Amino acid sequence: MARTKKGKKIFVLDTSVIIYEHNSIMNFDEHDVGIPITVLEELDNFKKGNDTKNFEAREFIRLINKLADGKMLHEWNSLNGNSKGKFKVLMSTNSSVDANKVFAEEKPDHRILNAALQLQEEIKDKNVILISKDINLRLKAKSLGLPAEDYSTGKVKNVNSLYSGKMVSDGISPDMINELYSTGACAPEEILGEERPKKNAYYILKSGRKSILAHFNPFSDSIEHVEKRSVYGIKPRNAEQTFAINAILNPEIKLVTMQGIAGTGKTLIALAAALEQKRNFKQIYLARPIVPLSNKDIGYLPGDIKSKLNPYMEPLWDNLKFIQNQYNETDKEFIKLTEMVNQEKLVITPLAYIRGRSLSNIIFIVDEAQNLTPHEVKTIITRAGENTKIIFTGDIYQIDTPYLDSQSNGLSYLIDRVKNHDLYAHITLEKGERSELANLANELL
């Protein structure tokens, strides 16, 4: 193992880091940053398009152009400010160890490795470390004696202790539970003592066999009884679904996240609760990111754009049909749903189709949010205008994109960073309610 050198380091960034966060170059404190010329070549291929990676590529190119300001990029230049290090574009890839030959294939990843390896040979007094979101590239780097790390900015340290939004308190006085049932609210210290509840936290309060569902309201500074409530024909089947409905229906909560495995009812509950309050909003948007199979662009699929997108949107339509089928075709609720779709009061769409729009007076449900980066999540929330509620749903352990994981995806990041805020509520759905067979698969397979 190479001996660790103290002091400044040089971090060499892979393309995957740039398209994850375009300003990542600014997040290495006093250390220097190298950008292989191959990365710029790959970004040139990414700059056209409407996906997030295209946006990130364009923004990074603009940032580098601004930082250069007439300077030569093959030389070390300041990253602005005395607290920052320097950066340069690594032009040569002629290291003594040729990754192309070692791995018997000519490819951009190997040229990036060669650029970092040559820098390691040239600069002996600093540690050269490859930074990549691509775990396989990191493994290749380590096999060649080159230290490699994931890009850690925005990563949640321990997802196993990620905020669940729900607490269970045993040993509550039965008189206190009876009082909460009768009055509907009480001061938090009467139940929790000196423990200060997180804002919009949910509770299952127990006294033997007797229990009650409750919510801490930060605006009234009180613990309030949460009643089970059906929404647009959908009845909650467990405490967590009841809490989720309560959060979505609460007009004071503007941002809701729901995390849970497949079959826990995340999307169904979000859509049904949104429909329940449709009169309060101009539109309901239900969107999800498009994650093509085998990471190929949807252009590979046959047919027009609608045909290409239908397979990705079908699960969302399935949830809408399930809600509609709670009623007869002659019922006003059934007819109203059809009208809402026809009049675009209810819109099911790929997430990319609403990028750049101002989200005012709508309920916006983002499904499969675990496939978004932290930057994408931030971008969506910053589009929120007046009278907008945003709901993110997803399973942080079911990532479909190659450069995200349970720690670095946007949903985990959001839950970790925004917990304990007046406008935010989160609930982790734990119990699968799709079917006994689905539960069997989740538990044993």
Side-chain angles (χ1 to χ4, degrees), residues 84-161:
K84 297 291 182 183
K86 298 179 179 180
F87 82 100
K88 81 169 185 175
V89 174
L90 308 178
M91 302 298 295
S92 180
T93 61
N94 297 319
S95 59
S96 60
V97 177
D98 187 351
N100 288 310
K101 293 181 179 178
V102 172
F103 300 111
E105 185 179 4
E106 291 266 352
K107 58 189 299 187
D109 279 358
H110 298 160
R111 294 199 295 274
I112 290 171
L113 285 175
N114 286 343
L117 287 167
Q118 180 166 348
L119 192 64
Q120 186 184 52
E121 294 172 1
E122 293 174 352
I123 302 179
K124 303 292 186 181
D125 61 337
K126 294 181 182 179
N127 276 331
V128 176
I129 303 170
L130 177 70
I131 303 297
S132 176
K133 300 297 295 178
D134 185 339
I135 188 171
N136 195 50
L137 185 58
R138 297 201 302 268
L139 291 174
K140 286 183 175 181
K142 292 175 181 178
S143 72
L144 298 175
L146 176 67
E149 299 175 4
D150 193 1
Y151 178 66
S152 59
T153 300
K155 290 192 75 168
V156 176
K157 291 184 178 179
N158 186 4
V159 293
N160 293 325
S161 60

Coordinates of all heavy atoms in Angstrom, one line a residue, residues 84-161:
K84 N -9.5 28.1 -1.7 CA -9.7 27.1 -2.7 C -8.3 26.7 -3.3 O -7.4 27.5 -3.2 CB -10.6 27.5 -3.8 CG -12.0 27.8 -3.4 CD -12.8 26.5 -3.0 CE -14.2 26.8 -2.6 NZ -14.9 25.6 -2.2
G85 N -8.3 25.5 -3.9 CA -7.0 25.1 -4.5 C -7.0 25.5 -6.0 O -7.6 26.5 -6.3
K86 N -6.3 24.8 -6.8 CA -6.1 25.1 -8.2 C -6.7 23.9 -9.0 O -7.0 22.9 -8.5 CB -4.7 25.3 -8.5 CG -4.0 26.5 -7.8 CD -2.6 26.6 -8.2 CE -1.9 27.8 -7.4 NZ -0.5 28.0 -7.8
F87 N -6.9 24.2 -10.3 CA -7.4 23.2 -11.2 C -6.7 23.3 -12.6 O -6.1 24.4 -12.9 CB -8.9 23.3 -11.4 CG -9.3 24.4 -12.5 CD1 -9.6 24.0 -13.8 CD2 -9.3 25.7 -12.1 CE1 -10.0 25.0 -14.7 CE2 -9.6 26.7 -13.1 CZ -10.0 26.3 -14.3
K88 N -6.6 22.2 -13.3 CA -6.2 22.3 -14.7 C -6.7 21.1 -15.5 O -7.2 20.1 -14.9 CB -4.6 22.3 -14.7 CG -4.0 20.9 -14.6 CD -2.5 21.1 -15.0 CE -1.7 19.7 -14.9 NZ -0.4 19.9 -15.4
V89 N -6.7 21.2 -16.8 CA -7.1 20.1 -17.6 C -5.9 19.2 -17.9 O -4.8 19.7 -18.3 CB -7.7 20.6 -19.0 CG1 -8.0 19.5 -19.9 CG2 -9.0 21.4 -18.7
L90 N -6.0 17.9 -17.7 CA -4.9 17.0 -17.9 C -4.9 16.5 -19.3 O -5.8 15.8 -19.8 CB -5.1 15.8 -16.9 CG -5.3 16.1 -15.4 CD1 -5.5 14.9 -14.6 CD2 -4.2 16.9 -14.9
M91 N -3.9 17.0 -20.1 CA -3.9 16.8 -21.5 C -3.3 15.4 -21.9 O -3.8 14.8 -22.8 CB -3.1 17.9 -22.2 CG -3.6 19.3 -21.9 SD -5.3 19.6 -22.5 CE -5.0 19.4 -24.3
S92 N -2.3 15.0 -21.2 CA -1.6 13.8 -21.6 C -2.1 12.5 -20.9 O -2.6 12.6 -19.8 CB -0.1 13.9 -21.3 OG 0.6 12.8 -21.7
T93 N -2.1 11.4 -21.6 CA -2.6 10.2 -21.1 C -1.5 9.1 -21.3 O -1.8 7.9 -21.4 CB -3.9 9.7 -21.7 OG1 -3.7 9.5 -23.1 CG2 -5.0 10.7 -21.5
N94 N -0.2 9.5 -21.3 CA 0.9 8.6 -21.6 C 1.6 8.1 -20.3 O 2.8 8.4 -20.1 CB 1.9 9.2 -22.5 CG 1.3 9.6 -23.9 OD1 0.5 8.8 -24.4 ND2 1.6 10.8 -24.4
S95 N 0.9 7.4 -19.4 CA 1.5 6.9 -18.2 C 2.3 5.7 -18.5 O 2.1 5.0 -19.6 CB 0.4 6.6 -17.2 OG -0.5 5.6 -17.7
S96 N 3.2 5.3 -17.6 CA 4.0 4.2 -17.9 C 3.2 2.9 -17.8 O 3.5 1.9 -18.5 CB 5.1 4.1 -16.8 OG 4.6 4.0 -15.5
V97 N 2.1 2.9 -17.0 CA 1.2 1.8 -17.0 C 0.0 2.2 -17.9 O -0.7 3.2 -17.6 CB 0.7 1.5 -15.5 CG1 -0.4 0.4 -15.5 CG2 1.8 1.1 -14.6
D98 N -0.2 1.5 -18.9 CA -1.3 1.9 -19.9 C -2.6 1.0 -19.6 O -2.6 -0.2 -19.8 CB -0.8 1.6 -21.3 CG -1.8 2.1 -22.3 OD1 -3.0 2.5 -22.0 OD2 -1.5 2.1 -23.5
A99 N -3.6 1.7 -19.1 CA -4.9 1.0 -18.7 C -5.5 0.3 -19.9 O -6.1 -0.7 -19.8 CB -5.8 2.0 -18.0
N100 N -5.3 0.9 -21.1 CA -5.9 0.3 -22.3 C -5.3 -1.0 -22.6 O -6.0 -2.0 -23.0 CB -5.6 1.2 -23.5 CG -6.4 2.5 -23.5 OD1 -7.6 2.5 -23.3 ND2 -5.8 3.7 -23.6
K101 N -4.0 -1.2 -22.3 CA -3.3 -2.5 -22.5 C -3.6 -3.4 -21.4 O -3.9 -4.6 -21.6 CB -1.8 -2.3 -22.7 CG -1.4 -1.5 -23.9 CD 0.1 -1.4 -24.0 CE 0.5 -0.7 -25.3 NZ 2.0 -0.5 -25.4
V102 N -3.7 -2.9 -20.2 CA -3.9 -3.8 -19.0 C -5.3 -4.4 -19.1 O -5.5 -5.6 -18.9 CB -3.8 -3.0 -17.7 CG1 -4.3 -3.8 -16.5 CG2 -2.4 -2.5 -17.5
F103 N -6.3 -3.6 -19.5 CA -7.7 -4.1 -19.6 C -8.1 -4.5 -21.0 O -9.2 -4.8 -21.3 CB -8.6 -3.1 -19.1 CG -8.4 -2.8 -17.6 CD1 -7.9 -1.5 -17.3 CD2 -8.6 -3.7 -16.6 CE1 -7.7 -1.2 -15.9 CE2 -8.3 -3.4 -15.3 CZ -7.9 -2.1 -14.9
A104 N -7.1 -4.5 -22.0 CA -7.2 -5.0 -23.3 C -8.4 -4.4 -24.1 O -9.2 -5.0 -24.8 CB -7.4 -6.5 -23.3
E105 N -8.6 -3.1 -23.9 CA -9.6 -2.4 -24.6 C -9.4 -0.9 -24.5 O -9.0 -0.3 -23.5 CB -11.0 -2.6 -23.9 CG -12.2 -2.0 -24.6 CD -13.5 -2.4 -24.0 OE1 -13.5 -3.0 -22.9 OE2 -14.5 -2.0 -24.5
E106 N -9.6 -0.2 -25.7 CA -9.4 1.2 -25.8 C -10.8 1.8 -25.5 O -11.8 1.6 -26.2 CB -9.0 1.6 -27.2 CG -7.6 1.2 -27.6 CD -6.6 2.3 -27.3 OE1 -7.0 3.5 -27.0 OE2 -5.4 2.1 -27.4
K107 N -10.9 2.7 -24.4 CA -12.1 3.3 -24.1 C -11.8 4.6 -23.3 O -10.8 4.7 -22.7 CB -13.0 2.3 -23.3 CG -12.5 1.8 -22.1 CD -13.4 0.7 -21.5 CE -14.8 1.1 -21.2 NZ -15.6 0.1 -20.5
P108 N -12.8 5.5 -23.2 CA -12.6 6.7 -22.5 C -12.2 6.5 -21.0 O -11.4 7.3 -20.5 CB -14.0 7.5 -22.6 CG -14.5 6.9 -23.9 CD -14.1 5.5 -24.0
D109 N -12.9 5.6 -20.3 CA -12.6 5.3 -18.9 C -11.1 5.0 -18.7 O -10.5 5.5 -17.7 CB -13.4 4.2 -18.4 CG -14.8 4.6 -18.0 OD1 -15.1 5.8 -18.1 OD2 -15.6 3.7 -17.6
H110 N -10.5 4.3 -19.6 CA -9.1 3.9 -19.5 C -8.2 5.1 -19.8 O -7.1 5.2 -19.2 CB -8.8 2.8 -20.4 CG -9.6 1.5 -20.1 ND1 -9.7 0.5 -21.0 CD2 -10.2 1.2 -19.0 CE1 -10.5 -0.5 -20.4 NE2 -10.8 -0.1 -19.2
R111 N -8.6 6.0 -20.7 CA -7.8 7.2 -20.9 C -7.9 8.1 -19.7 O -6.9 8.8 -19.3 CB -8.3 8.0 -22.1 CG -8.1 7.2 -23.4 CD -8.2 8.1 -24.6 NE -9.5 8.7 -24.8 CZ -10.5 8.1 -25.5 NH1 -10.3 6.9 -26.0 NH2 -11.7 8.7 -25.6
I112 N -9.0 8.1 -19.0 CA -9.1 8.9 -17.7 C -8.2 8.3 -16.7 O -7.5 9.0 -16.0 CB -10.6 8.9 -17.2 CG1 -11.4 9.8 -18.2 CG2 -10.7 9.5 -15.8 CD1 -12.9 9.7 -17.9
L113 N -8.1 7.0 -16.6 CA -7.2 6.3 -15.7 C -5.8 6.7 -16.0 O -5.0 7.0 -15.1 CB -7.4 4.8 -15.7 CG -8.6 4.2 -15.0 CD1 -8.7 2.7 -15.3 CD2 -8.6 4.5 -13.5
N114 N -5.4 6.7 -17.3 CA -4.1 7.0 -17.7 C -3.7 8.4 -17.3 O -2.5 8.7 -16.9 CB -3.9 6.8 -19.2 CG -3.8 5.3 -19.6 OD1 -3.6 4.4 -18.7 ND2 -4.1 5.0 -20.8
A115 N -4.6 9.3 -17.5 CA -4.3 10.7 -17.1 C -4.0 10.9 -15.6 O -3.1 11.6 -15.2 CB -5.5 11.6 -17.5
A116 N -4.8 10.2 -14.8 CA -4.6 10.2 -13.3 C -3.3 9.5 -13.0 O -2.6 9.9 -12.1 CB -5.8 9.6 -12.6
L117 N -3.0 8.4 -13.6 CA -1.8 7.6 -13.4 C -0.5 8.5 -13.7 O 0.5 8.5 -13.0 CB -1.8 6.3 -14.1 CG -2.7 5.2 -13.6 CD1 -2.9 4.1 -14.7 CD2 -2.2 4.7 -12.3
Q118 N -0.6 9.2 -14.9 CA 0.5 10.0 -15.2 C 0.7 11.1 -14.2 O 1.9 11.5 -13.9 CB 0.3 10.6 -16.6 CG 1.5 11.4 -17.1 CD 1.5 11.8 -18.5 OE1 0.8 11.2 -19.3 NE2 2.4 12.7 -19.0
L119 N -0.4 11.8 -13.8 CA -0.3 12.8 -12.8 C 0.4 12.3 -11.5 O 1.2 12.9 -10.8 CB -1.6 13.4 -12.5 CG -1.7 14.7 -11.7 CD1 -1.0 15.8 -12.4 CD2 -3.1 15.0 -11.4
Q120 N 0.0 11.0 -11.1 CA 0.6 10.4 -10.0 C 2.1 10.2 -10.1 O 2.9 10.4 -9.1 CB -0.1 9.0 -9.7 CG 0.3 8.3 -8.5 CD -0.4 6.9 -8.4 OE1 -0.3 6.1 -9.3 NE2 -1.1 6.6 -7.3
E121 N 2.5 9.9 -11.3 CA 4.0 9.7 -11.6 C 4.7 11.1 -11.6 O 5.9 11.1 -11.1 CB 4.2 9.0 -12.9 CG 3.7 7.6 -13.0 CD 3.7 7.0 -14.4 OE1 4.2 7.7 -15.3 OE2 3.3 5.8 -14.5
E122 N 4.1 12.1 -12.1 CA 4.7 13.4 -12.2 C 4.8 14.1 -10.8 O 5.8 14.8 -10.6 CB 4.0 14.3 -13.2 CG 4.0 13.8 -14.6 CD 3.1 14.7 -15.5 OE1 2.4 15.5 -15.0 OE2 3.2 14.5 -16.7
I123 N 3.8 14.0 -10.0 CA 3.7 14.8 -8.7 C 3.9 13.8 -7.6 O 2.9 13.1 -7.2 CB 2.4 15.6 -8.6 CG1 2.3 16.5 -9.8 CG2 2.4 16.4 -7.3 CD1 1.1 17.4 -9.9
K124 N 5.1 13.8 -7.0 CA 5.4 12.8 -6.0 C 5.0 13.3 -4.6 O 4.9 12.4 -3.7 CB 6.9 12.5 -6.0 CG 7.4 12.0 -7.4 CD 6.8 10.6 -7.7 CE 7.5 10.0 -9.0 NZ 6.9 8.7 -9.3
D125 N 4.8 14.6 -4.4 CA 4.7 15.1 -3.0 C 3.2 15.2 -2.6 O 2.9 15.7 -1.5 CB 5.4 16.4 -2.9 CG 4.8 17.5 -3.8 OD1 4.3 17.1 -4.8 OD2 5.0 18.7 -3.5
K126 N 2.3 14.8 -3.5 CA 0.8 14.9 -3.2 C 0.2 13.6 -3.5 O 0.5 12.9 -4.5 CB 0.2 16.1 -4.0 CG 0.6 17.5 -3.6 CD -0.1 18.5 -4.4 CE 0.4 19.9 -4.1 NZ -0.3 20.9 -4.8
N127 N -0.9 13.2 -2.8 CA -1.7 12.1 -3.1 C -2.6 12.4 -4.3 O -3.3 13.5 -4.2 CB -2.5 11.7 -1.9 CG -1.8 10.8 -0.9 OD1 -0.9 10.1 -1.3 ND2 -2.2 10.8 0.3
V128 N -2.6 11.6 -5.3 CA -3.5 11.8 -6.4 C -4.6 10.8 -6.3 O -4.3 9.6 -6.1 CB -2.8 11.6 -7.8 CG1 -3.8 11.6 -8.9 CG2 -1.7 12.6 -8.0
I129 N -5.8 11.2 -6.2 CA -7.0 10.4 -6.0 C -8.0 10.5 -7.0 O -8.5 11.7 -7.4 CB -7.6 10.7 -4.6 CG1 -6.6 10.6 -3.5 CG2 -8.8 9.8 -4.3 CD1 -7.0 11.2 -2.1
L130 N -8.5 9.4 -7.6 CA -9.5 9.5 -8.6 C -10.9 9.5 -7.9 O -11.1 8.8 -7.0 CB -9.5 8.2 -9.5 CG -10.6 8.1 -10.6 CD1 -10.4 9.2 -11.7 CD2 -10.6 6.7 -11.2
I131 N -11.7 10.5 -8.4 CA -13.1 10.6 -7.8 C -14.1 10.2 -8.9 O -14.1 10.8 -10.0 CB -13.4 12.0 -7.3 CG1 -12.4 12.5 -6.3 CG2 -14.8 12.1 -6.8 CD1 -12.3 11.7 -5.0
S132 N -14.9 9.2 -8.6 CA -15.8 8.7 -9.6 C -17.1 8.1 -9.0 O -17.0 7.5 -7.9 CB -15.2 7.6 -10.5 OG -16.1 7.0 -11.4
K133 N -18.2 8.3 -9.6 CA -19.5 7.7 -9.2 C -19.6 6.2 -9.7 O -20.5 5.5 -9.4 CB -20.7 8.5 -9.7 CG -20.7 9.9 -9.2 CD -20.9 10.0 -7.7 CE -22.2 9.5 -7.2 NZ -22.2 9.5 -5.7
D134 N -18.7 5.9 -10.6 CA -18.7 4.6 -11.3 C -17.8 3.6 -10.4 O -16.6 3.7 -10.4 CB -18.1 4.7 -12.7 CG -18.2 3.4 -13.5 OD1 -18.3 2.3 -12.8 OD2 -18.1 3.5 -14.7
I135 N -18.5 2.7 -9.7 CA -17.8 1.8 -8.8 C -16.8 0.9 -9.6 O -15.8 0.5 -9.0 CB -18.8 0.9 -8.0 CG1 -18.1 0.1 -6.9 CG2 -19.7 0.0 -8.9 CD1 -19.0 -0.5 -5.9
N136 N -17.2 0.5 -10.8 CA -16.3 -0.4 -11.5 C -15.0 0.4 -11.9 O -13.9 -0.2 -11.9 CB -17.0 -0.9 -12.8 CG -16.2 -2.1 -13.4 OD1 -15.9 -3.0 -12.7 ND2 -15.9 -2.0 -14.7
L137 N -15.1 1.6 -12.3 CA -13.9 2.4 -12.6 C -13.0 2.6 -11.3 O -11.8 2.6 -11.4 CB -14.3 3.8 -13.1 CG -13.2 4.7 -13.6 CD1 -12.4 4.0 -14.7 CD2 -13.7 6.0 -14.1
R138 N -13.7 2.7 -10.2 CA -12.9 2.9 -8.9 C -12.1 1.6 -8.7 O -11.0 1.6 -8.2 CB -13.8 3.2 -7.8 CG -14.5 4.5 -7.9 CD -15.0 5.1 -6.6 NE -15.9 4.2 -5.8 CZ -17.2 4.2 -5.9 NH1 -17.8 5.1 -6.8 NH2 -18.0 3.4 -5.3
L139 N -12.8 0.4 -8.9 CA -12.1 -0.9 -8.7 C -10.9 -1.0 -9.7 O -9.9 -1.5 -9.3 CB -13.1 -2.0 -8.9 CG -14.2 -2.1 -7.9 CD1 -15.2 -3.2 -8.3 CD2 -13.6 -2.5 -6.5
K140 N -11.1 -0.6 -10.9 CA -10.0 -0.7 -11.9 C -8.8 0.2 -11.4 O -7.7 -0.2 -11.5 CB -10.5 -0.2 -13.3 CG -11.3 -1.2 -14.0 CD -11.7 -0.7 -15.4 CE -12.5 -1.8 -16.2 NZ -12.8 -1.3 -17.5
A141 N -9.2 1.4 -10.9 CA -8.1 2.3 -10.5 C -7.3 1.7 -9.3 O -6.1 1.7 -9.3 CB -8.7 3.7 -10.0
K142 N -8.0 1.1 -8.4 CA -7.3 0.5 -7.2 C -6.5 -0.7 -7.6 O -5.4 -0.9 -7.1 CB -8.4 0.1 -6.2 CG -9.1 1.3 -5.5 CD -10.2 0.9 -4.6 CE -10.9 2.1 -4.0 NZ -12.0 1.7 -3.1
S143 N -6.9 -1.4 -8.7 CA -6.1 -2.5 -9.1 C -4.8 -2.1 -9.8 O -3.9 -2.8 -9.9 CB -6.9 -3.3 -10.1 OG -7.1 -2.7 -11.4
L144 N -4.8 -0.8 -10.2 CA -3.5 -0.2 -10.8 C -2.7 0.6 -9.8 O -1.8 1.3 -10.2 CB -3.9 0.7 -12.0 CG -4.6 0.0 -13.2 CD1 -5.0 1.0 -14.2 CD2 -3.7 -1.1 -13.8
G145 N -3.1 0.5 -8.5 CA -2.4 1.2 -7.5 C -2.8 2.7 -7.4 O -2.0 3.5 -6.8
L146 N -3.9 3.1 -8.0 CA -4.3 4.5 -7.9 C -5.5 4.6 -6.9 O -6.5 4.0 -7.1 CB -4.8 4.9 -9.3 CG -5.4 6.3 -9.4 CD1 -4.4 7.4 -9.2 CD2 -6.1 6.5 -10.8
P147 N -5.3 5.4 -5.8 CA -6.4 5.5 -4.9 C -7.7 6.1 -5.6 O -7.6 7.0 -6.5 CB -5.9 6.6 -3.9 CG -4.4 6.4 -4.0 CD -4.1 6.1 -5.4
A148 N -8.8 5.6 -5.2 CA -10.1 6.0 -5.8 C -11.2 6.1 -4.8 O -11.3 5.2 -3.9 CB -10.5 5.1 -6.9
E149 N -12.0 7.1 -4.9 CA -13.1 7.3 -3.9 C -14.4 7.7 -4.7 O -14.3 8.3 -5.8 CB -12.8 8.4 -2.9 CG -11.5 8.1 -2.1 CD -11.1 9.3 -1.1 OE1 -11.9 10.3 -1.1 OE2 -10.1 9.2 -0.5
D150 N -15.5 7.5 -4.0 CA -16.8 8.0 -4.5 C -16.9 9.5 -4.2 O -16.2 10.0 -3.3 CB -17.9 7.3 -3.8 CG -19.3 7.5 -4.4 OD1 -19.4 8.3 -5.4 OD2 -20.3 7.0 -3.9
Y151 N -17.7 10.2 -4.9 CA -17.9 11.7 -4.6 C -18.9 11.7 -3.5 O -20.0 11.3 -3.6 CB -18.5 12.4 -5.9 CG -18.8 13.8 -5.7 CD1 -17.8 14.7 -5.4 CD2 -20.1 14.3 -5.7 CE1 -18.1 16.1 -5.3 CE2 -20.4 15.6 -5.6 CZ -19.4 16.5 -5.3 OH -19.7 17.8 -5.2
S152 N -18.5 12.2 -2.3 CA -19.2 12.1 -1.1 C -20.1 13.2 -0.8 O -21.0 13.1 0.1 CB -18.3 11.8 0.1 OG -17.4 12.9 0.2
T153 N -20.0 14.4 -1.5 CA -20.8 15.5 -1.2 C -22.3 15.2 -1.4 O -22.7 14.7 -2.5 CB -20.5 16.7 -2.0 OG1 -19.1 17.1 -1.8 CG2 -21.4 17.9 -1.8
G154 N -23.2 15.4 -0.4 CA -24.6 15.1 -0.6 C -24.9 13.7 -0.2 O -26.1 13.3 -0.2
K155 N -24.0 12.8 0.2 CA -24.3 11.5 0.6 C -24.7 11.4 2.1 O -24.2 12.1 2.9 CB -23.0 10.6 0.5 CG -22.6 10.3 -1.0 CD -21.6 9.2 -1.1 CE -22.2 7.8 -0.9 NZ -21.3 6.7 -1.2
V156 N -25.7 10.6 2.3 CA -26.2 10.4 3.7 C -25.3 9.3 4.3 O -25.0 8.3 3.7 CB -27.7 9.9 3.6 CG1 -28.1 9.5 5.0 CG2 -28.6 10.9 3.0
K157 N -24.8 9.6 5.5 CA -23.8 8.8 6.1 C -24.3 7.4 6.4 O -23.7 6.4 6.2 CB -23.2 9.4 7.4 CG -22.4 10.7 7.1 CD -21.7 11.2 8.3 CE -20.9 12.4 8.0 NZ -20.3 13.0 9.2
N158 N -25.5 7.3 7.0 CA -26.0 6.0 7.5 C -27.5 5.9 7.1 O -28.3 6.4 7.9 CB -25.8 5.8 8.9 CG -26.2 4.4 9.4 OD1 -26.6 3.5 8.6 ND2 -26.1 4.2 10.7
V159 N -27.9 5.3 6.0 CA -29.3 5.2 5.7 C -30.1 4.3 6.6 O -31.3 4.3 6.6 CB -29.4 4.7 4.2 CG1 -28.9 5.7 3.2 CG2 -28.8 3.4 4.0
N160 N -29.4 3.4 7.3 CA -30.1 2.5 8.3 C -30.7 3.3 9.4 O -31.6 2.8 10.0 CB -29.1 1.5 8.8 CG -28.7 0.5 7.7 OD1 -29.4 0.1 6.9 ND2 -27.4 0.0 7.8
S161 N -30.2 4.5 9.7 CA -30.7 5.3 10.7 C -31.4 6.6 10.1 O -31.6 7.6 10.8 CB -29.6 5.8 11.7 OG -28.6 6.5 11.0

